[in-house]
Amino acid sequence: PGQTVFVSAIVWKEVSELQNQAVANSHVNFELRDANYKVIAEQQAVTDRFGKCNVQFTLTQGLLNGRFTIRANNGGSTSIRVEEYKRPTFQIEFAEYKESYQDGDTVRAEGKALSYAGVPVQDAKVKYTVRRKIAFWWMSYSWYWETGYIGSGEQNEVLYEGEAVTADDGTFKVNIPLTVPKCMKKRPMYYSFVVEADVTDVAGETHSGTMSLPLGTKPTALTCDVPQKVRSDQMPRVTFNRCNAAGQPIAGQVKYRLDGGKWQQCDANSPVSLSKGQLKSGQHRLEAECGDDKVDVKFVVFGLDDKKPALQTDDWFYASNSEFPRDGKPVVIQVGASDPDLHIVYSIYSGEELLESGSVKKNGELINRKFTYEEEYGNGLLLTYAWVKNGQKLRSGER
């Protein structure tokens, strides 16, 4: 309250489905609405040649705090959070934990509440929670995305809740039980054990602090970022990522081979080309080793001109793009299956209008179609497919 809010807006119009244009000399009326959605101020502005205009509002004192809304007469809107600011008098810090620890230990860590002048906050009440979370860096590389483990509920589990009181020097102790799920003992997995502490002083002021300890089922991890599906004309450079339990990159020499071929070497955490030329369509195997860590993954290489799926599968689907390119190039759709006794039923919509529908029987071959944008497509296409065998739907999907 009392501060000035600066607002910018851009007015544009749709010239065609693929082109937008800034609108100059457009009169725009702005409304500022309070937390009760009541108009408390209005401003007018005119756009410049780039379609841009600016206004400013001063937030009135004495209003109910909460979510305020700024609306323009063309339908654009945004919201801001208005809150009374109170200067904090103390802060929470956790000391770095420097002792060794392992699965099954209970670590006793130390936090401290100090005023900004460095004076200890004494006799403050502390409530803390210990959570086990899957480490974010590991989520980026993990096969658990495919198995469905990540998202199962065990990725953010409360392990312990406790209370404490700050001592004369402002310190307090927290217990952190370090336990890894039994189901993960045989596979690599990496966690962060996070402490969230709320400290309330005798005056009722509350502030929070956090600390995190990394722990994995192994001291290091080796992963590979090769995609599951790779177009033969877009073979990416691959990186073998080697990290410690905290997710930090560590150096190492990686030994790898493709499809059981000759072993080669490269540096960990540096991109490398797997093949000098295009790989043939089909399934390929990539193996890698670095110390005690190993990678063994399979990926599929395919081409846009393939007549059949690159591997034995009940449902092959690929779209070269999720949007029509602005350069007018086509979007390629591949649909098919390896089973020769299979029908694919499809429908193509633009909005609520059905443009095309039918069914195709292929002898284990692919449907290869190229879609170049046309006016009748409006804001885009919805393509639906169903794989049917002996009158039974095996799978369906849409794009």
Side-chain angles (χ1 to χ4, degrees):
Q3 287 187 327
T4 299
V5 179
F6 297 89
V7 185
S8 296
I10 294 177
V11 180
W12 55 273
K13 67 179 180 180
E14 187 179 271
V15 178
S16 67
E17 287 78 0
L18 298 177
Q19 185 178 6
N20 300 322
Q21 187 179 78
V23 179
N25 299 317
S26 176
H27 292 260
V28 182
N29 184 70
F30 293 88
E31 297 176 344
L32 174 64
R33 296 174 178 261
D34 64 12
N36 293 319
Y37 208 63
K38 178 183 177 182
V39 177
I40 58 175
E42 292 186 76
Q43 294 282 352
Q44 290 79 37
V46 179
T47 58
D48 59 18
R49 64 191 183 95
F50 301 107
K52 185 178 179 181
C53 59
N54 305 278
V55 296
Q56 61 188 55
F57 294 100
T58 299
L59 299 176
T60 307
Q61 299 274 5
L63 295 177
L64 177 68
N65 291 339
R67 187 171 297 278
F68 282 43
T69 304
I70 301 168
R71 288 187 58 85
N73 61 334
N74 62 0
S77 68
T78 190
S79 60
I80 57 173
R81 184 78 182 177
V82 178
E83 295 178 343
E84 195 77 39
Y85 175 73
K86 294 183 180 180
R87 184 182 180 88
T89 62
F90 69 93
Q91 61 183 340
I92 311 301
E93 296 179 349
F94 277 95
E96 183 180 356
Y97 193 79
K98 298 182 179 180
E99 303 295 328
S100 63
Y101 57 86
Q102 61 185 358
D103 178 28
D105 289 349
T106 296
V107 168
R108 192 165 175 82
E110 182 179 285
K112 180 178 286 189
L114 292 173
S115 73
Y116 286 93
V119 179
V121 179
Q122 304 174 350
D123 298 322
K125 295 182 179 179
V126 182
K127 291 186 177 181
Y128 65 93
T129 301
V130 180
R131 301 178 187 273
R132 182 180 59 217
K133 301 181 178 181
I134 294 177
F136 288 114
W137 69 270
W138 179 243
M139 292 169 66
S140 301
Y141 306 131
S142 177
W143 65 271
Y144 296 96
W145 280 117
E146 299 300 324
T147 64
Y149 176 81
I150 292 181
S152 64
E154 294 187 18
Q155 61 173 314
N156 188 7
E157 185 176 356
V158 175
L159 299 181
Y160 187 77
E161 293 179 319
E163 296 183 359
V165 177
T166 58
D168 291 344
D169 60 355
T171 61
F172 59 92
K173 306 289 186 180
V174 297
N175 296 318
I176 310 175
L178 303 174
T179 57
V180 172
K182 293 182 179 180
C183 61
M184 292 294 105
K185 300 289 187 179
K186 296 181 180 180
R187 289 187 178 273
M189 178 60 87
Y190 298 85
Y191 300 92
S192 294
F193 290 79
V194 181
V195 179
E196 301 166 344
D198 294 328
V199 180
T200 305
D201 67 5
V202 293
E205 182 178 343
T206 300
H207 294 290
S208 300
T210 63
M211 74 168 295
S212 178
L213 291 178
L215 180 64
T217 56
K218 297 178 64 179
T220 59
L222 181 67
T223 58
C224 177
D225 61 0
V226 62
Q228 286 190 323
K229 286 183 178 181
V230 180
R231 276 174 46 180
S232 57
D233 61 331
Q234 295 180 346
M235 188 65 198
R237 288 167 64 82
V238 173
T239 302
F240 296 99
N241 300 282
R242 187 173 187 238
C243 302
N244 61 18
Q248 297 301 311
I250 52 178
Q253 279 290 306
V254 177
K255 182 175 69 171
Y256 71 94
R257 67 178 179 179
L258 186 63
D259 297 329
K262 183 179 178 181
W263 287 99
Q264 302 183 63
Q265 283 195 341
C266 68
D267 292 328
N269 307 307
S270 297
V272 61
S273 297
L274 293 180
S275 176
K276 295 182 179 179
Q278 289 190 358
L279 295 177
K280 294 182 179 180
S281 293
Q283 190 172 69
H284 297 265
R285 181 184 181 187
L286 178 61
E287 300 170 88
E289 298 178 2
C290 186
D292 294 331
D293 298 314
K294 296 182 179 181
V295 166
D296 190 343
V297 295
K298 293 180 180 179
F299 62 96
V300 177
V301 174
F302 69 99
L304 294 183
D305 296 325
D306 287 353
K307 304 300 182 183
K308 295 184 178 182
L311 78 166
Q312 191 72 23
T313 178
D314 293 330
D315 51 2
W316 177 273
F317 179 83
Y318 172 77
S320 64
N321 208 324
S322 60
E323 296 181 351
F324 284 106
R326 293 186 177 272
D327 59 7
K329 292 183 178 179
V331 176
V332 179
I333 302 292
Q334 283 187 345
V335 184
S338 301
D339 195 326
D341 189 22
L342 194 71
H343 287 80
I344 298 176
V345 181
Y346 71 94
S347 297
I348 301 175
Y349 297 88
S350 174
E352 297 183 357
E353 182 181 358
L354 176 63
L355 301 182
E356 182 183 334
S357 64
S359 65
V360 178
K361 184 177 181 181
K362 290 279 190 177
N363 188 25
E365 296 176 333
L366 289 171
I367 300 173
N368 262 338
R369 294 192 62 173
K370 295 182 179 180
F371 292 88
T372 303
Y373 185 80
E374 298 180 11
E375 293 291 332
E376 65 173 334
Y377 294 168
N379 291 327
L381 293 179
L382 172 67
L383 298 91
T384 66
Y385 295 91
W387 287 254
V388 180
K389 183 175 182 179
N390 297 329
Q392 298 294 318
K393 182 171 72 172
L394 302 179
R395 186 181 184 276
S396 61
E398 63 180 40
R399 186 73 176 188

